[in-house]
Amino acid sequence: MEDSRIALPIGTTLDRFIKKKQDEFQFATGELSQLLRDIALAGKVVNREINKAGLINIIGPIGAQNVQGEDQQKLDVLANIRFIRALTKGGEACAIVSEEDEEITDLENDGKYVIAIDPLDGSSNIDVNVSVGTIFSIYRRFTPVGTPITKEDVLQKGAEQVAAGYLLYGSSTMLVYTTGHGVNGFTYEPSLGEYFLSHPDMTIPEDGKVYSVNEGGYKSFPKEAKDYIEYCKDSKFTARYIGSLVADFHRNILKGGIYMYPPTSSSPSGKLRLLYECNALAFIVEQAGGVASDGKRRILEIEPDELHQRVPLYIGSKAMVEKAISYYS
Ligand code: AHM
Ligand code: MG
């Protein structure tokens, strides 16, 4: 059947894009659209603060006092505040699970959506002016509106996501998201304060030659991961590792590649968190034609049992991830 969806040109503003996409769905109420706008707005605020990070470090605590009166906060905590505030004000989200908070934040409203978010991922890279990101997943709440939020609302497998995305605060700031109908990337133009469609219908190359892994952990990786890394070296692949998941992932989605965080002796389930790091990127990579696995299972099919659960991650170009997980079988 012919796809009746309207292709929107490069340069379309995010607002217009969201509106047009909403119009394609009969009975859409606009709540998801508003949620995406809220996240995009909080991303602008975080972007502004990240851009000042170097100055604040140079001036120390006095300079830090200039940031909205919340000078004692580290940027990751500050980012958490920005996103939670934006999501709380909007009213579309009823609960948030964040890397920064031990427990679920119940917003005690009639919102339909639950958010899992890593407000500032790769935060150890901020002090050294290297790219960082925000990762988010959006789910429909599981329990009826009007009842207290439970873990069931949050502990949904990734396949239940209605939307997911990331912000990359890099040489330019980008918002990349999917609602399950392809992946689109928007570049932020700070002087206009707008995101513009710059990467329509993103697809990841089916194969690639870049592998991204912290090889410092090599000795404690399982044999399967070691064997795949040896295969990458024998194949004369290129190693690229930033240590900011969003940045490594974004490069690989554009150029082709694999990112992996295998189990290690100190982190037997790997380091990355299923709910607010792996699921969102897994949804995006699949929408872009790639694969995400923990070595044995599709990431999106893993039933979570803890908010801050960790999983090993192999994510990226289809042929590369399939090759990596072939060592597990
Ligand atoms: P964080 O959520 O504490 O920032 O940790 C997640 C980050 C990822 O962005 C990155 O890929 C990974 O941790 C790097 O870990 P390592 O320093 O072990 O290589
Ligand atoms: Mg993180």
Side-chain angles (χ1 to χ4, degrees):
M1 205 166 82
E2 199 182 323
D3 189 349
S4 62
R5 285 184 274 163
I6 321 150
L8 291 165
I10 287 179
T12 302
T13 64
L14 176 66
D15 267 356
R16 191 173 173 79
F17 184 93
I18 290 174
K19 171 79 174 68
K20 286 273 186 199
K21 291 291 159 190
Q22 185 191 318
D23 292 346
E24 287 171 16
F25 295 98
Q26 227 185 343
F27 310 123
T29 57
E31 284 160 290
L32 179 61
S33 299
Q34 191 50 44
L35 201 45
L36 291 167
R37 286 192 195 95
D38 294 343
I39 291 171
L41 176 62
K44 289 185 196 178
V45 178
V46 170
N47 172 67
R48 191 187 60 191
E49 275 151 12
I50 286 172
N51 283 331
K52 287 193 281 190
L55 290 174
I56 291 166
N57 284 340
I58 289 163
I59 314 170
I62 296 168
Q65 279 172 2
N66 290 336
V67 184
Q68 309 282 319
E70 293 165 313
D71 53 306
Q72 300 308 313
Q73 315 280 3
K74 284 189 171 159
L75 269 171
D76 45 4
V77 176
L78 203 57
N80 193 40
I81 291 168
R82 295 293 176 239
F83 280 101
I84 292 199
R85 195 174 287 169
L87 293 166
T88 307
K89 275 190 184 161
E92 295 82 19
C94 57
I96 303 168
V97 54
S98 163
E99 179 177 339
E100 300 301 328
D101 299 315
E102 205 52 40
E103 295 299 331
I104 305 169
T105 304
D106 184 344
L107 299 178
E108 297 176 357
N109 63 20
D110 289 343
K112 279 200 271 197
Y113 295 101
V114 169
I115 315 293
I117 189 163
D118 182 351
L120 206 56
D121 183 65
S123 48
S124 65
N125 272 327
I126 292 174
D127 289 349
V128 290
N129 207 354
V130 174
S131 303
V132 289
T134 296
I135 309 172
F136 62 91
S137 291
I138 303 177
Y139 296 84
R140 271 191 199 85
R141 70 173 290 172
F142 190 74
T143 54
V145 169
T147 58
I149 294 294
T150 67
K151 286 205 169 165
E152 273 188 305
D153 291 305
V154 174
L155 297 181
Q156 302 189 44
K157 60 183 183 183
E160 306 296 337
Q161 289 170 100
V162 291
Y166 59 85
L167 283 130
L168 170 60
Y169 312 98
S171 45
S172 60
T173 290
M174 282 193 70
L175 168 66
V176 175
Y177 79 91
T178 183
T179 54
H181 303 275
V183 182
N184 288 282
F186 299 80
T187 300
Y188 181 59
E189 214 293 25
S191 65
L192 296 172
E194 285 272 16
Y195 297 89
F196 294 97
L197 180 63
S198 52
H199 295 64
D201 269 325
M202 291 168 72
T203 52
I204 181 166
E206 167 132 10
D207 205 353
K209 291 190 182 330
V210 171
Y211 71 106
S212 315
V213 60
N214 183 347
E215 280 193 70
Y218 183 88
K219 287 200 168 166
S220 66
F221 288 164
K223 183 171 184 319
E224 293 83 355
K226 284 181 176 166
D227 286 349
Y228 178 67
I229 291 170
E230 291 308 318
Y231 162 81
C232 291
K233 291 181 178 181
D234 291 341
S235 309
K236 300 202 166 32
F237 288 173
T238 293
R240 287 284 181 272
Y241 190 70
I242 298 168
S244 274
L245 175 59
V246 173
D248 280 310
F249 177 83
H250 185 72
R251 181 199 54 245
N252 290 350
I253 210 171
L254 294 180
K255 304 270 189 195
I258 183 171
Y259 173 98
M260 46 188 155
Y261 210 111
T264 63
S265 44
S266 54
S267 296
S269 300
K271 177 186 181 189
L272 300 172
R273 270 57 59 106
L274 176 62
L275 284 192
Y276 42 79
E277 291 175 331
C278 301
N279 273 340
L281 300 187
F283 188 21
I284 292 168
V285 89
E286 286 198 4
Q287 284 293 313
V291 174
S293 168
D294 72 346
K296 297 174 188 149
R297 298 169 293 179
R298 182 178 169 228
I299 291 289
L300 296 181
E301 286 301 333
I302 300 174
E303 296 276 1
D305 32 48
E306 276 174 51
L307 291 186
H308 300 281
Q309 179 172 340
R310 296 174 196 267
V311 281
L313 181 65
Y314 299 83
I315 190 167
S317 291
K318 185 169 183 288
M320 294 184 89
V321 178
E322 283 175 353
K323 178 76 183 171
I325 60 186
S326 71
Y327 288 91
Y328 278 90
S329 48

